[in-house]
Amino acid sequence: MLAVTRQYDKEEFATRGDALYEQLIRSEFEPERNGDFVAIDIDSGDFEIDRSELAALDRLRQRRPQAQPWLRKIGFRFAHKFGSLPAKART
């Protein structure tokens, strides 16, 4: 597999990915597909949706080998959450 070089800085990458999510995904797939992953090519706007983030990314790469993929979990702000719950929420 060829490595794909990122063509945008982090801020531009995120801006493009979030904008495409809002334009193409939110109104069409929320709430029915909440929890599924969407991989969006921020250059073409092509996307793939799957319960598995790797499956979505793999299918997008099959269609667009040079894709600049933005990954998001439908119905959520991010694909993954890092960190733990606050102490109060754990009890």
Side-chain angles (χ1 to χ4, degrees):
M1 175 185 274
L2 295 173
V4 177
T5 304
R6 183 180 290 180
Q7 300 189 14
Y8 305 97
D9 64 36
K10 291 178 187 178
E11 291 78 20
E12 178 70 11
F13 205 87
T15 299
R16 286 172 164 255
D18 284 340
L20 286 167
Y21 180 87
E22 293 300 325
Q23 293 168 12
L24 304 172
I25 307 301
R26 182 181 300 278
S27 64
E28 189 70 27
F29 296 100
E30 285 186 15
E32 295 83 13
R33 300 291 300 263
N34 281 3
D36 288 355
F37 289 95
V38 60
I40 307 168
D41 176 18
I42 64 168
D43 282 331
S44 68
D46 286 350
F47 62 91
E48 290 288 339
I49 297 173
D50 200 282
R51 296 291 302 158
S52 163
E53 61 192 295
L54 293 177
L57 285 166
D58 286 345
R59 282 201 315 275
L60 181 61
R61 289 261 191 228
Q62 286 173 359
R63 290 179 37 218
R64 296 241 175 229
Q66 296 299 313
Q68 299 286 305
W70 180 248
L71 186 67
R72 181 109 175 240
K73 199 172 199 179
I74 298 174
F76 297 84
R77 179 72 180 105
F78 304 102
H80 296 282
K81 180 181 177 200
F82 296 98
S84 62
L85 294 172
K88 188 174 184 178
R90 283 186 256 157
T91 56

